[in-house]
Amino acid sequence: MDPILERYQALEDKVASYTPNLDTKRLYEAFTYADTEHHGQLRKSGEPYIIHPLAVADIVADLGLDVDSVIAALLHDCIEDTGATHEEIAKKFGTSVADLVEGVTKLTRVQYVSKEEEQMENLRKMLMAMAHDIRVILIKICDRLHNMRTMEYQSPKKQREKSLETMEIYAPLAHRLGMQKLKWELEDLSLRYLDPVGYKEIEDEMAKRSAAHEEFLASIQLRIQQRMEQEGIRCKVYGRVKHTYSIYRKMFTQNKTLDEIFDLYAFRVIVDDIPECYNVLGCIHDMFKPVLGRFKDYIGTPKPNMYQSLHTTVIGREGIPFEVQIRTWEMHQTAEYGIAAHWKYKQGMANKKLGSEGDFEWVRKLLESQQDTDAEEFVRTLKVDMFSDEVFVFTPNGDVKSLPAGATPIDFAYNIHSAIGNSMVGARVNGRMVPYDTQLKNGDIVEVLTSKSAKGPSRDWLKIAKSNEARNKIRQWFKRERREENIATGRALFESELKHAKIPLSAITAEDVLPNILRKVRFGTLDELYASIGYGGTTAVKSVARIKDELLRLGRLKAEKAAAAARTTAESVIVPGSTAQVDPLQLKGSNKHSDSGIIVEGLGNCLVKFAKCCTPVPGDPVVGFITRGYGVSVHRADCPNADPDRRKPEEASRWVRVAWVSSPLPNYKTSLELSSKDRDGLTLDVAMALSAAKVKVTALSARSQPDGHAIVRIEVEVKDKDELAGVINKLNNIQGVYHVARVSGK
Ligand code: MN
């Protein structure tokens, strides 16, 4: 068979293996369409061009993306390099595919200039924002990966340029999306061209030692496997040498030789569930000597890209340190394929609502506003609206500026410098003159025309500008340059508003009233108030509303005084505004229903959260604090943050009585801190004690103190205070432990 057809067939088989009812005819048509369009074009390698889209589609299929993505990968260079158009592709393969292809094309057209890190961050964000659909980014990363794999055929200049771009843009994007495997390969390939000497040095050294490496990996792997079998833990163990770029970074940032590099090896133990992860950790620390301070619990505290694992570094009998990563299968998928893994799961989870509890926070963030989706609508949820509140544009020099969405050339000009804004006489976007109120789009190149004889900003600009920065700078200009004019304008606006409110000017200029009025609007004189209204620092409407309030208050005061004088001899005095005392709720032993296990005086079953500083559990005496915005926060009565002596007087009324209902919820999360002599096996003993106490552990982390002590932070779920007391008791019995305390205050 023709080798190209053979490649196509392999791709089709791969896609069919995870796509039920694959429409092979449509896939084949996409292939032949791309093949025809690219006909006669050659890659730098001399191969027919179609090899490239086929390879990109193959990587996309490796990620398990949907058929539309695979088809778009086959067609991804058609708009850019052949006569194909969006309409034509849409007619043949649907708008979804056409949009994806167009999205990839747009990203291809963005020009990069290497800049400082902040600029790079904006560029990465701009790409994400331009993509609209996360699949566009994924296809683009696959495209880049294949180009990097075949970079040897390019000129040295192009090799360096593309490698730099990959290192600065695409590898970080892959990382952000949690795609570790792709990220590693992109980094290694880029390094090869960015520092060929350093790269070769490491590769050669590693090749020389490969036999020794293999032997070491195999022996440790076997020992871990055997121990797990003894313990009856079902798991898979993998060992590997770390990837070249990570070794390179360690060598060059720490200025070390290959021999001095700590942990060249990494092992992975993959198990079925989270409790097993902690069991495995205990065993590993029992088998090998843990390196202090190297244990990290990314299960309890996942990385921002949702990476989860337990990490520890240990030293074996041979004296060689190595890292062990312990995770579940699901965590493993996420670590390898990131957002794509998540996407894979979603295909099978028809009923699960995105954004529901337990969902990956980062995907939720990525998919922001599209939360109400079901399976049929799933593809729509991939239309990400990341950074929807920002727009990224270029200066003529290629610097990237981030502006609020809807920003105009005025915002752009003031973002660069107020002097540029103040002397602006025109603007060009992508080389064309545009009106000032033009909304800038991602990727636009914006140029501001200035003139020394410019008259300065106009008041209309305040309405056009989108950013506070630009508006403030424009106001400052008016404030400075046009005081007389501002006073006149402001006075006119103010008097008209006053008339509207039916307040005669004389009512506020009266000698006994004016000082109160000025204090209320926070100006020293009326002219200052007028000037501020004139340049837009405040508005006439706001000021008059304030003044009206103040006039009413003064009027009431006068009336009350008069009334009080009139009844100095009267027997009963009614204090206006006093409220009847609310009977305190009978809190004790209440059987009231409560979703949280807590009832609040005067509020009953309301929104409650448990304070993170002291994590109360049933049985603890508790008090509540009415927060601004999120219900009642419940503290232990002995928490320093609830100490009556430290409460702010203005918040006195926010502290309320609360009580546990008689049958609260089955479990409550709380934190303990254990201090101990630092010794081997401490974490293991703690884990075993907790397991003996039969409580659910949600996080466990140990850190060594410089003075030979260790602090272990433990987060558990318990029923109540009694159960917790039992746990503390068990922990106290561990050898070397000085003290176990509940965490409170900070
Ligand atoms: Mn391409």
Side-chain angles (χ1 to χ4, degrees), residues 49 52 56 76-77 143 147:
Y49 196 87
H52 168 64
V56 175
H76 81 271
D77 277 330
D143 176 37
N147 283 333

Side-chain angles (χ1 to χ4, degrees), residues 541-587:
V541 177
K542 243 190 238 161
S543 313
V544 169
R546 284 228 173 104
I547 287 169
K548 202 171 171 182
D549 281 353
E550 183 63 12
L551 287 174
L552 283 173
R553 192 186 69 89
L554 293 172
R556 259 202 318 271
L557 216 65
K558 225 183 219 171
E560 269 165 31
K561 261 188 204 154
R567 53 159 193 259
T568 38
T569 54
E571 275 174 323
S572 69
V573 175
I574 302 158
V575 182
S578 79
T579 49
Q581 279 291 309
V582 180
D583 275 345
L585 234 158
Q586 275 303 308
L587 285 163

Side-chain angles (χ1 to χ4, degrees), residues 443-484:
D444 278 349
I445 301 171
V446 189
E447 193 183 345
V448 177
L449 309 176
T450 59
S451 159
K452 277 194 191 121
S453 55
K455 290 198 302 285
S458 105
R459 275 177 208 283
D460 295 338
W461 291 14
L462 284 170
K463 286 178 213 131
I464 298 172
K466 194 81 188 175
S467 62
N468 289 329
E469 184 192 18
R471 280 203 292 262
N472 286 338
K473 285 177 175 171
I474 295 168
R475 275 188 210 116
Q476 267 168 30
W477 187 88
F478 279 115
K479 188 177 173 180
R480 223 180 28 244
E481 303 281 322
R482 300 280 166 92
R483 188 170 157 85
E484 291 314 307

Side-chain angles (χ1 to χ4, degrees), residues 169 206 422 440 485 509 549 730 741:
I169 306 283
M206 296 301 278
N422 291 336
L440 301 176
E485 193 182 306
T509 49
D549 281 353
K730 283 221 164 61

